[in-house]
């Protein structure tokens, strides 16, 4: 399996007709880095992910993932997606969702430890359950297990916890942090939840309201697990929030 690649976006602009969704995005993500992207709704976060994942092409500028085009990396099935609502197949059990990925990737000589993945995502007991029998948090864990099973070296996560309640969400953050160390992937995590970004990310890119532009990059130099009540944590939150507010002010004049 390939190890985590570097990702670069240079001068990337994306337009939809007369609407500019993203303007002149310049971003570098290190191999294995966990980058959070925060921005208001409509600031182009999902568009940014679709561009990185090769589902769309920039109107201007260039994107490279380990010196390849995103579309090429996508075709090689090296990109793992996690969306806001887990796209599980209602007629397949948790185990079958993971096994399907194994089956698809088998030709690439990729083997998957299904039991290990079930254990890692605390779903062993629910291996034979259908998605409808699972809570929202468990469904999202099953989706994570499936993404893990792909062996993807790039993880694009679009507000994956947005549909969960606060408590489940907070637990999932802890679980994701534990998983993170066993996954060799470059991760882009999109959210409008600032404290979640500060808990998880190595670095946070702040997007302005539409057209989305990177107004700041904030490095999170705090040891994990991070204490949300600590002064340094609150300081980073204030810094990110300050950038978001300043970008809004600029817009409204
Ligand atoms: P976010 O994920 O930050 O909420 P999006 O990336 O979904 O933002 O959208 C950014 C802007 O681009 C929005 O104004 C949205 O309406 C517009 N947009 C996104 N996709 C399309 C599309 N396929 N066609 C037209 N406009 C789009
Ligand atoms: Mg979105």
């Amino acid at each position: 399996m390939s190890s985590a690649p570097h990702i670069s976006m240079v001068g990337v602009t994306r337009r939809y007709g007369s609407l500019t969704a993203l303007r002149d995005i310049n971003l570098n993500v290190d191999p294995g880095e966990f980058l959070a992207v925060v921005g208001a709704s409509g600031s182009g976060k999902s568009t940014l992910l679709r561009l990185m994942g090769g589902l769309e092409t920039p109107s201007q500028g260039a994107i490279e993932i380990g010196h390849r085009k995103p579309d090429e990396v996508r075709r090689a099935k090296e990109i793992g997606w996690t969306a806001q609502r887990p796209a599980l197949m209602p007629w397949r059990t948790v185990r079958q969702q993971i096994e399907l990925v194994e089956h698809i990737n088998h030709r690439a000589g990729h083997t998957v430890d299904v039991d290990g993945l079930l254990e890692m995502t605390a779903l062993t007991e629910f291996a034979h359950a259908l998605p409808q029998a699972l809570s929202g948090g468990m469904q999202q864990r099953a989706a994570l297990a499936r993404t893990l099973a792909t062996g993807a070296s790039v993880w694009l996560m679009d507000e994956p916890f947005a549909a969960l309640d606060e408590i489940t969400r907070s637990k999932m953050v802890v679980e994701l942090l534990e998983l993170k160390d066993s996954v060799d992937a470059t991760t882009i995590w999109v959210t409008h939840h600032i404290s979640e970004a500060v808990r998880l990310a190595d670095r946070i890119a702040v997007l302005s309201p539409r057209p989305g532009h990177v107004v700041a990059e904030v490095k999170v130099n705090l040891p994990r697990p991070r204490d949300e009540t600590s002064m340094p944590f609150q300081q980073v939150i204030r810094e990110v929030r300050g950038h978001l507010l300043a970008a809004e002010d600029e817009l409204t004049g």
Side-chain angles (χ1 to χ4, degrees):
M1 269 285 105
S2 57
S3 57
H6 169 264
I7 303 176
S8 78
M9 293 183 104
V10 181
V12 171
T13 291
R14 173 67 194 182
R15 290 185 208 92
Y16 297 104
S18 59
L19 182 148
T20 304
L22 290 171
R23 178 178 65 81
D24 192 24
I25 302 284
N26 294 288
L27 264 182
N28 273 295
V29 195
D30 289 334
E33 192 181 16
F34 195 121
L35 177 80
V37 178
V38 302
S41 151
S43 60
K45 302 183 297 298
S46 296
T47 303
L48 185 89
L49 282 192
R50 288 197 302 274
L51 290 166
M52 277 190 176
L55 298 174
E56 285 185 24
T57 50
S59 309
Q60 252 171 276
I63 307 175
E64 278 192 1
I65 301 181
H67 304 294
R68 288 182 294 167
K69 294 248 173 291
D71 183 51
E72 220 181 303
V73 182
R74 178 177 65 82
R75 283 166 201 272
K77 299 202 188 326
E78 287 170 39
I79 293 179
W81 288 91
T82 310
Q84 188 163 330
R85 303 211 168 268
L88 298 171
M89 285 158 285
W91 57 89
R92 283 180 186 269
T93 67
V94 171
R95 174 173 261 285
Q96 285 167 345
Q97 316 264 352
I98 301 170
E99 281 173 348
L100 180 71
V101 173
E102 185 187 26
H103 180 71
I104 291 169
N105 285 18
H106 208 65
R107 281 159 280 152
H110 174 63
T111 53
V112 179
D113 173 11
V114 180
D115 292 316
L117 283 174
L118 287 168
E119 200 169 308
M120 211 188 268
T121 49
L123 286 169
T124 306
E125 272 180 73
F126 298 90
H128 302 294
L130 291 171
Q132 65 189 38
L134 305 177
S135 69
M138 284 192 265
Q139 287 184 23
Q140 200 52 280
R141 287 211 300 271
L144 282 176
R146 202 177 49 181
T147 308
L148 282 166
T150 62
S153 56
V154 176
W155 272 40
L156 303 178
M157 310 183 84
D158 196 352
E159 312 205 35
F161 301 159
L164 306 176
D165 63 83
E166 270 312 304
I167 294 171
T168 309
R169 187 172 183 142
S170 188
K171 279 190 200 150
M172 289 292 294
V173 168
V174 175
E175 283 165 14
L176 188 73
L177 279 172
E178 283 167 7
L179 282 179
K180 207 177 88 59
D181 292 334
S182 48
V183 180
D184 184 26
T186 307
T187 305
I188 316 293
W189 171 279
V190 156
T191 185
H192 54 251
H193 209 288
I194 303 173
S195 65
E196 206 165 84
V198 180
R199 280 179 79 180
L200 289 163
D202 296 317
R203 197 156 49 99
I204 301 172
V206 181
L207 283 187
S208 67
R210 201 181 75 215
H213 182 71
V214 179
V215 291
E217 291 180 35
V218 178
K219 186 119 182 91
V220 190
N221 278 319
L222 303 172
R224 295 180 176 91
R226 294 170 176 163
D227 176 6
E228 270 186 88
T229 60
S230 75
M231 291 281 278
F233 191 100
Q234 292 301 322
Q235 179 56 39
V236 180
I237 297 230
R238 272 197 295 277
E239 189 181 342
V240 173
R241 186 176 294 134
H243 288 304
L244 283 165
L245 290 172
E248 264 178 31
D249 286 349
E250 197 146 303
L251 195 77
T252 52

